[in-house]
Amino acid sequence: MTQKNDFTEWYIQTIQKAELMAYSPVKGSIIFRPDGFELWEHIQEEFNLFLKAEGIRNAYFPMLIPQSFFMKEADHIEGFAPELPWVTEVGNEKLEEPLALRPTSETMIGSAFSDWINSYRDLPYEINQWANVFRWEKKTLPFLRTSEFLWQEGHTAHEGEEDARKRTMRVLDEYARLCEEFLAIPVYKGQKTPSERFAGAVDTYSIEAMMKDGKAVQAGTSHYMGTKFAEAFDITYLSKENKHVHAHTTSWGVSTRLLGALIMTHGDENGLVFPPTIAPTQVVLMPVGPWKKNPAIVEKLTALQASFKAKGIRVRLDDSDNSPGFKFNEWELKGACLRIECGPRDLENEQVMVKIRDISEKQAIPFDELEQYVDEALAAMTPRLLAAAKERNHDNEYLDIDTLDDLKAHIDTCQKEDKVTGFVLIGWDGTEETEAKIKEETGFTTRNIPFDVPVEKTVDIVSGKPAKHTVWIARAY
Amino acid sequence: MTQKNDFTEWYIQTIQKAELMAYSPVKGSIIFRPDGFELWEHIQEEFNLFLKAEGIRNAYFPMLIPQSFFMKEADHIEGFAPELPWVTEVGNEKLEEPLALRPTSETMIGSAFSDWINSYRDLPYEINQWANVFRWEKKTLPFLRTSEFLWQEGHTAHEGEEDARKRTMRVLDEYARLCEEFLAIPVYKGQKTPSERFAGAVDTYSIEAMMKDGKAVQAGTSHYMGTKFAEAFDITYLSKENKHVHAHTTSWGVSTRLLGALIMTHGDENGLVFPPTIAPTQVVLMPVGPWKKNPAIVEKLTALQASFKAKGIRVRLDDSDNSPGFKFNEWELKGACLRIECGPRDLENEQVMVKIRDISEKQAIPFDELEQYVDEALAAMTPRLLAAAKERNHDNEYLDIDTLDDLKAHIDTCQKEDKVTGFVLIGWDGTEETEAKIKEETGFTTRNIPFDVPVEKTVDIVSGKPAKHTVWIARAY
């Protein structure tokens, strides 16, 4: 299956063949196989550096949330109720109160904050949790939408709105940095429309990423809750003025969705492409030609492996019996960044052949230049992938669509010319009617109201009324 | 509450006051607060080094396990059934098949292994998972026995019994090393009796630790499964001889119980004591005396903090308004390894006062010797705590108890003399009757059949028949 023919099918097949994941017997749940889980581990390491620098500490809260907790914030329960799995029995006994598998932990952590926060001196109170969460989705897709997924959820409480909003934005900026610098995924920062807000939030901000097929992935969200959860869970503190007041809270998360975005941003017809920052295999070494007759080849590669490893490079040596062609395909499929081959003639010439995953030509590199070459090639690859993705995004942004007819025409043209529909910038009058109409007629949904508006749109795409906002819309995963 | 009066109550109060954990609204579930969770993170980092060196990779499997999976291994379901929480509904809809919250993942991973393992070339197949697991216990105690806990579970498949048993033992050795060298907890390695085996295992091995109150904590287990799970889940491979044969499997785990063992091994009347290897706070700096009038003091401490931090030392500066006495108590309670004080006179003398958590006297250390002093003090503390615990264990091992009357007399004496009952070495004829009788009459349970037997016992403590094994028994958490 090719990307060109059926992108989603390419995705589903590639991540299984490359052993990132496997389906599980439980509907919509997946197994993160070692290479897939390692991607998540690297994201954890990277984001933990940010948390540490900000003084936000990790904690762990119970996964089961009493039904009564959910009832305390009306918008919250309304938003999550249809997707909640419930524990109703233990052993053979019925529980007095059903317990939900957490879809997110505002309620549990809100209840704890209420106990722990007493005075303005305790604020800001900032906690992060790495955890599994559950949302029973009707339509699922590995990594992007699964019944169980892994994420981090940050929860913070502050003295006032300004502090809380600063935290909300600071994290959104970090999410954008993580995506761009670490995952080479360019993102669009902005505010979600009210209909797309997190259940219970005052404001939700997101980073949106454009996949190779032009569809959007909401890659991270950061929410300002005002005092809504503080009121529901009685998170109050004694202020400097000696008054009991409600804290302002935030929450924010990125999840294993990021793996889906990563694969759909960089993967190509040959399989996975990873920036070295996150690749489970940065360098793969392989002997070629009649190498079994010449033990010096594997000896040389083993020595190279050791020296790369010592430098912290994630390196593997493939000295299996498979044919070179098989190995080339397998390691391209798995997204190894650099492939280094050495055969009898290479050894004679004191060189190796190096293939960079996203560049077509192989290059001969002398042994004594290899270390520096590898360092530079790995360092250059992440920014190159980011630049390529940015250019592609740019080509797939449509800024001059002003009416629903324009949009439909755009969709038709894309279909005829075999192009992706991409991100479309529209004027919006702020009504849910416009959003509903767009969705119904085209399947596009509002992504966010961007902070950086390429062009101000003045007229609503549906109603023709004056636009209150300029908004990105797209089909989305 | 003192350790002397009521050890368990001391434990429960101390871990809450020190903010390691908090109770949650869900029965038997706890919140790991940042200092508590950080202990677990350090254990993860340490054990991940072992996994990496052994080539065992982390993965993540779904938490919900279909009821039918559980039914496949009869002993397994029998052992776990009473403790399993079941998801029976999602939203408002009843599930066709109830899903259990995993108590352990042999079934889920066995089913995956069955898909992934085809040939002897795929073996050994070795996977580890860090996860939350659920066992609804009747009596709970924070960290030591909770409805939800965190653990790692390793699962491996091998060509034959020998390889599988080697893996089982290699991990048990690493668990012992982790406890002794990293956590300063001396352990007793041995084999569990059949009645204490993991549900579905052929052989279960454990490390047992003795708490300050003489009671045992099973600190880690490693299981050889034979082909029992391979038969239940059809884990077969094509052997070198071209035959389809069942793999031999193992599983092994340590959990957040280790935090309980850590606290009950080292804590004292002043609070928590941690070896620096794992302490969330290795060094706490605090200004004393009339330090607010002399900004040079906090400047000096801030500079020290930066230089310690640069060396990777986990350091905090407490420049809060609390009194020195309050701060001393708080940081002793929280188990900071070194307390470094600096007041006006110290500054004048170019020195600080240093208090090591487990040593009574303070010492004056000149500024220019401080760095080396801190390095050495931190390096010396873990082995010192281990040696102290070993000595205490040694004092509380009883090797000359030959009859049930001896054991009861021992218990009486301990009660009268206010001593702990400790670990008792007995002869055992291998029957469950003996184990049941001991438990019924004294509350002692068999811990394990030690690999290093201090004295061979020849006669069963209850039946008087010839002993088949020499066994440690103790009261246990």
Side-chain angles (χ1 to χ4, degrees), chain A residues 137-415:
Chain A
E137 307 272 4
K138 294 230 162 52
K139 264 192 86 174
T140 60
L141 192 60
F143 299 130
L144 287 170
R145 199 171 289 277
T146 50
S147 303
E148 178 181 11
F149 57 96
L150 305 176
W151 79 346
Q152 62 67 221
E153 49 180 321
H155 297 268
T156 69
H158 305 262
E159 277 192 75
E161 176 166 353
E162 193 186 337
D163 264 15
R165 284 195 179 275
K166 254 189 212 160
R167 169 51 72 210
T168 309
M169 288 306 162
R170 177 81 190 82
V171 169
L172 193 74
D173 286 344
E174 170 60 17
Y175 285 163
R177 191 206 66 78
L178 179 79
C179 280
E180 303 205 332
E181 291 179 19
F182 193 69
L183 305 175
I185 303 173
V187 294
Y188 299 76
K189 277 195 279 190
Q191 180 168 9
K192 294 302 256 190
T193 65
S195 68
E196 298 274 332
R197 269 202 299 251
F198 178 82
V202 169
D203 286 313
T204 287
Y205 302 89
S206 76
I207 49 169
E208 306 279 334
M210 195 199 300
M211 304 298 95
K212 267 195 169 171
D213 65 348
K215 285 174 79 173
V217 167
Q218 177 179 293
T221 48
S222 189
H223 318 288
Y224 167 62
M225 305 297 193
T227 57
K228 287 174 76 173
F229 280 90
E231 284 165 33
F233 288 91
D234 195 27
I235 309 171
T236 59
Y237 65 93
L238 200 63
S239 72
K240 282 176 195 126
E241 295 76 28
N242 225 29
K243 285 189 182 151
H244 286 280
V245 289
H246 284 114
H248 289 244
T249 67
T250 83
S251 76
W252 26 274
V254 291
S255 75
T256 39
R257 298 205 97 191
L258 285 178
L259 308 193
L262 182 70
I263 294 151
M264 287 192 173
T265 298
H266 303 301
D268 65 20
E269 297 294 6
N270 296 331
L272 305 174
V273 176
F274 293 125
T277 35
I278 197 171
T281 303
Q282 294 170 320
V283 173
V284 62
L285 301 160
M286 56 181 74
V288 293
W291 57 275
K292 289 214 166 171
K293 293 175 198 153
N294 193 340
I297 294 173
V298 168
E299 271 165 36
K300 177 65 191 175
L301 291 176
T302 304
L304 285 174
Q305 183 186 25
S307 74
F308 287 139
K309 207 170 180 176
K311 292 179 68 179
I313 292 172
R314 296 188 286 273
V315 57
R316 297 191 205 188
L317 169 60
D318 185 350
D319 57 358
S320 66
D321 289 338
N322 298 321
S323 72
F326 182 94
K327 290 185 192 181
F328 293 172
N329 288 340
E330 183 171 25
W331 290 105
E332 296 239 306
L333 172 65
K334 291 191 168 181
C337 303
L338 302 187
R339 181 177 84 221
I340 299 181
E341 306 160 21
C342 186
R345 207 165 299 170
D346 297 316
L347 191 68
E348 227 172 83
N349 296 333
E350 303 203 317
Q351 65 169 38
V352 291
M353 296 303 295
V354 184
K355 166 82 175 67
I356 300 176
R357 179 63 179 85
D358 61 325
I359 292 176
S360 319
E361 295 76 28
K362 281 194 211 181
Q363 251 195 297
I365 307 294
F367 286 161
D368 59 4
E369 292 172 21
L370 184 60
E371 189 171 319
Q372 199 190 338
Y373 179 87
V374 166
D375 285 347
E376 287 170 7
L378 290 177
M381 188 171 170
T382 306
R384 185 173 63 244
L385 290 177
L386 177 63
K390 272 192 175 161
E391 201 183 317
R392 195 177 57 236
N393 281 10
H394 191 72
D395 291 343
N396 296 324
E397 290 167 5
Y398 294 91
L399 310 182
D400 53 2
I401 290 173
D402 294 316
T403 66
L404 207 49
D405 284 339
D406 286 356
L407 180 58
K408 288 180 193 167
H410 163 66
I411 293 170
D412 283 345
T413 310
C414 289
Q415 178 128 31

Side-chain angles (χ1 to χ4, degrees), chain A residues 10-140:
Chain A
W10 165 87
Y11 171 76
I12 292 172
Q13 289 187 11
T14 301
I15 57 183
Q16 290 180 86
K17 277 192 292 182
E19 298 184 355
L20 291 190
M21 57 71 65
Y23 281 106
S24 98
V26 178
K27 189 193 148 291
S29 283
I30 61 168
I31 298 166
F32 291 77
R33 299 190 69 174
D35 266 12
F37 191 72
E38 185 174 330
L39 296 172
W40 185 237
E41 286 182 308
H42 292 314
I43 290 172
Q44 290 186 301
E45 288 156 18
E46 183 71 11
F47 193 68
N48 270 334
L49 294 177
F50 166 79
L51 293 172
K52 201 163 187 181
E54 296 277 309
I56 300 170
R57 296 188 71 196
N58 289 324
Y60 185 78
F61 292 81
M63 193 203 67
L64 295 171
I65 300 183
Q67 192 172 37
S68 54
F69 270 47
F70 260 97
M71 299 307 173
K72 291 191 182 183
E73 216 295 320
D75 293 336
H76 194 62
I77 181 67
E78 197 191 318
F80 283 106
E83 304 174 355
L84 293 182
W86 292 99
V87 173
T88 58
E89 292 172 27
V90 172
N92 284 323
E93 280 175 43
K94 224 171 158 61
L95 290 176
E96 278 179 35
E97 181 180 9
L99 302 168
L101 274 54
R102 66 178 158 224
T104 178
S105 301
E106 278 74 10
T107 57
M108 180 60 74
I109 295 179
S111 148
F113 275 11
S114 163
D115 289 343
W116 300 341
I117 294 168
N118 298 302
S119 146
Y120 69 90
R121 284 190 200 87
D122 299 325
L123 299 177
Y125 204 103
E126 305 193 299
I127 288 282
N128 179 68
Q129 165 169 273
W130 295 95
N132 54 344
V133 280
F134 295 81
R135 297 179 190 177
W136 225 257
E137 307 272 4
K138 294 230 162 52
K139 264 192 86 174
T140 60

Side-chain angles (χ1 to χ4, degrees), chain B residues 28-39:
Chain B
S29 283
I30 62 167
I31 298 166
F32 291 78
R33 299 189 69 175
D35 266 10
F37 191 71
E38 185 175 330
L39 297 172

Side-chain angles (χ1 to χ4, degrees), chain B residues 74-337:
Chain B
D75 292 337
H76 194 62
I77 181 68
E78 196 191 319
F80 283 107
E83 304 174 354
L84 293 182
W86 292 98
V87 173
T88 59
E89 291 170 29
V90 172
N92 284 324
E93 282 175 40
K94 225 173 157 58
L95 291 176
E96 279 180 32
E97 181 180 9
L99 302 168
L101 275 55
R102 68 180 156 223
T104 179
S105 301
E106 276 74 12
T107 57
M108 180 59 75
I109 295 179
S111 148
F113 275 11
S114 164
D115 289 341
W116 299 341
I117 295 169
N118 298 303
S119 145
Y120 70 91
R121 285 190 200 87
D122 299 325
L123 299 178
Y125 204 103
E126 305 193 299
I127 288 282
N128 179 68
Q129 165 170 272
W130 296 95
N132 53 343
V133 280
F134 295 80
R135 299 180 188 176
W136 225 256
E137 307 271 3
K138 293 228 161 56
K139 264 191 87 174
T140 60
L141 192 60
F143 300 129
L144 287 170
R145 199 172 288 277
T146 50
S147 303
E148 178 183 11
F149 58 96
L150 304 176
W151 80 346
Q152 63 66 220
E153 49 180 323
H155 296 269
T156 69
H158 305 262
E159 277 192 74
E161 176 166 355
E162 193 186 338
D163 263 18
R165 284 195 178 275
K166 253 189 213 158
R167 171 50 73 209
T168 310
M169 288 306 161
R170 177 80 191 81
V171 169
L172 193 74
D173 287 344
E174 171 60 17
Y175 285 163
R177 191 205 65 78
L178 179 78
C179 280
E180 303 204 332
E181 291 180 20
F182 193 69
L183 306 175
I185 302 173
V187 294
Y188 299 76
K189 277 195 279 190
Q191 180 169 9
K192 295 301 258 190
T193 65
S195 67
E196 298 274 332
R197 269 203 298 251
F198 178 82
V202 169
D203 286 313
T204 287
Y205 303 89
S206 76
I207 48 169
E208 306 278 334
M210 196 198 300
M211 304 297 95
K212 267 195 169 171
D213 64 349
K215 286 173 81 173
V217 167
Q218 177 180 293
T221 49
S222 188
H223 317 289
Y224 167 63
M225 304 297 193
T227 57
K228 288 173 76 174
F229 280 90
E231 284 165 34
F233 288 91
D234 195 28
I235 310 171
T236 58
Y237 65 94
L238 200 63
S239 72
K240 283 177 194 126
E241 295 76 28
N242 225 29
K243 284 189 181 151
H244 285 282
V245 288
H246 284 112
H248 289 246
T249 67
T250 83
S251 77
W252 25 274
V254 293
S255 75
T256 38
R257 300 205 94 191
L258 285 177
L259 308 193
L262 181 72
I263 294 150
M264 287 192 174
T265 298
H266 303 301
D268 65 19
E269 297 295 6
N270 297 331
L272 304 174
V273 176
F274 293 126
T277 35
I278 197 170
T281 304
Q282 294 171 320
V283 173
V284 61
L285 302 159
M286 57 180 74
V288 293
W291 57 274
K292 291 218 163 169
K293 292 175 197 152
N294 194 340
I297 293 174
V298 168
E299 273 165 34
K300 177 67 190 175
L301 291 177
T302 304
L304 284 175
Q305 182 185 25
S307 74
F308 287 139
K309 208 170 178 176
K311 293 180 67 178
I313 292 172
R314 297 188 285 272
V315 57
R316 299 191 205 188
L317 168 60
D318 185 351
D319 56 358
S320 66
D321 289 339
N322 297 321
S323 72
F326 181 94
K327 291 184 191 180
F328 294 172
N329 288 340
E330 183 172 23
W331 290 104
E332 296 237 307
L333 171 65
K334 291 192 167 179
C337 303

